[in-house]
Each structure stands twice: as C-alpha cells, then as structure tokens.
Amino acid sequence: MKSQFDITVLRLNHRPSRDKRVSTHIALTTRAIGGKKVYYSGHYDTSLEQSVERVKGTWGGSFEIEFLEKPLKLIKNWKGVSIHLTMYGSKLSEGVQETKQRLLDDPTLPVLIIVGGAKVPPEIFEYSTINLSVGNQPHSEIAALAVVLDRLIDSENWEFDFPEPRLTIIPDSRGKNVLENTEKSEKSKESE
Ligand code: SAM
C-alpha cells in the first residue's frame, strides 16, 4: 500500500561538511514513512544523492532526491499545503488537525514539509501555509519530521510499497529475516 497522501520534503541550506548524515537521514526518514521526494537547497552534494540512490537500489521503490537553487520559488508556487517545521510555530495538535482536515476534504492535495538548516530566512515563515512546532524547544529536524509524518499518516497505513527491492525484510521479533531477490542481485553484479 502507498501512503494515502502526496508528501514531499524540502531540506533547507544543506552544508556537505556539517549536515551530510542529517540530510541523508531526512531523506531516508521521508522515504521510509511514505514520502515520495526530497528537495534540498544550500550546497549541491553528489555524495548525499548517491547515499539515497544506494538505499533505493537495495530496498526498492521510486523515491527521488533533487537539488534546488531557489527553494523559495518552490514554496511560493506550491499548489497544496506547505508546513514549515520550526520551534516557533503553532501547536502540533492544532496544525496537524487543520492539515488533516484539508487532506480529508481533498486527499490529492500535495503536502510540502519544510525543515530548516542554519538561519531560516523570514520569507520561509511568510510563504509557508503553516509554521508548525513539535514542542517549543529546539531539537532535531529528523525527529520533528518523523513525528509530523507519523501524525499525518494513520498508523494502520504504515505499510508502504517499495517495488523491485534487492532485499526485503520479513518482520520478525526474534532476529534478522531477510529475503533476497536473486534476479536483482545478479543484475547489480553485472552492472558493477
Ligand atoms: N540553529 C541550528 C543551526 O544553526 O545549525 C539549526 C536549528 S534546528 C536543529 C534545524 C531545524 O530543526 C529547524 O529549522 C526546524 O525545521 C527543526 N526543528 C528544531 N526544533 C524544532 C521544533 N521544536 N519543532 C519543529 N521543528 C524543529
């Protein structure tokens, strides 16, 4: 089953030297919890994009990552709801309820979740549909993103589809149980 909503994430002001792991984890969290694409701004980073592609090659699906020169343009032109995560924003429960109501009225409405890096400019606050906090204390953009994705996507829909994986995990409370798609493994060996 796919996520019931159309969710994209924008990571602002990526700095390869400081943010590589954090930005990679933002992309992997988005992919794992039902998002379809991550945009990032700041500095173009092939190694960030390669890390995401490697995970996709192993675990399947059609997730995308794309560098953006002008993130504000994306936010201004977004034809749906844009949610900027910030510790200064409105209360989580109110913002999620309001957004979910809009999505229940129109489940095709695209959602853009914006996570900051260093120094988020005031225009991001201005042009986002809503500025939303996950508690009014400073913490992690990955944690804030995961909480909001979980609140937006109903827990019974936490079964996402990742077509054509090389590896698939069979949930097991006692240890690692992994299925290998030998056809895909052979193909990736041939292309090495
Ligand atoms: N000021 C730090 C710096 O210069 O590197 C970065 C701030 S913080 C770690 C980065 C992002 O995490 C914020 O822009 C916001 O998107 C998210 N964040 C942190 N605390 C949050 C909270 N309480 N609620 C929602 N988002 C939060």
Side-chain angles (χ1 to χ4, degrees):
M1 185 194 299
K2 287 204 174 107
S3 159
Q4 76 269 47
F5 303 131
D6 177 351
I7 297 176
T8 299
V9 168
L10 166 62
R11 195 290 194 264
L12 297 171
N13 204 7
H14 168 71
R15 299 155 299 179
S17 53
R18 289 187 55 184
D19 300 327
K20 183 179 178 316
R21 282 178 65 83
V22 175
S23 297
T24 304
H25 287 187
I26 285 170
L28 299 190
T29 301
T30 305
R31 174 185 172 275
I33 319 183
K36 65 171 194 186
K37 178 162 184 166
V38 159
Y39 289 104
Y40 70 100
S41 67
H43 294 268
Y44 176 66
D45 186 352
T46 34
S47 121
L48 165 65
E49 297 193 9
Q50 281 164 359
S51 301
V52 173
E53 288 303 324
R54 264 198 305 277
V55 169
K56 207 170 99 179
T58 305
W59 300 101
S62 57
F63 188 77
E64 288 176 56
I65 179 159
E66 185 180 331
F67 175 71
L68 267 190
E69 201 79 59
K70 295 184 173 150
L72 194 58
K73 198 170 159 197
L74 178 81
I75 300 171
K76 280 184 176 174
N77 294 331
W78 192 256
K79 304 265 183 282
V81 189
S82 53
I83 305 171
H84 170 221
L85 301 184
T86 165
M87 65 177 177
Y88 305 99
S90 65
K91 234 178 156 180
L92 177 67
S93 52
E94 289 164 16
V96 166
Q97 205 180 4
E98 186 188 315
T99 308
K100 278 194 100 163
Q101 193 49 56
R102 295 181 69 165
L103 288 169
L104 288 174
D105 293 343
D106 178 5
T108 65
L109 202 66
V111 179
L112 180 68
I113 303 177
I114 304 152
V115 296
K119 296 193 188 97
V120 176
E123 294 82 7
I124 304 289
F125 287 77
E126 191 181 333
Y127 288 103
S128 299
T129 313
I130 182 167
N131 293 289
L132 188 64
S133 75
V134 179
N136 299 109
Q137 297 294 321
H139 58 87
S140 148
E141 49 269 62
I142 307 167
L145 174 64
V147 168
V148 169
L149 285 171
D150 184 46
R151 295 284 177 105
L152 284 179
I153 296 167
D154 293 332
S155 52
E156 67 266 26
N157 291 319
W158 252 73
E159 288 283 334
F160 308 118
D161 202 16
F162 296 95
E164 294 190 44
R166 187 168 67 73
L167 299 177
T168 305
I169 293 171
I170 312 299
D172 191 329
S173 63
R174 306 286 302 160
K176 290 184 184 175
N177 190 354
V178 181
L179 266 185
E180 183 166 8
N181 176 347
T182 44
E183 210 175 286
K184 190 130 194 247
S185 296
E186 288 308 318
K187 269 192 198 145
S188 69
K189 270 188 211 148
E190 279 165 21
S191 64
E192 274 168 13

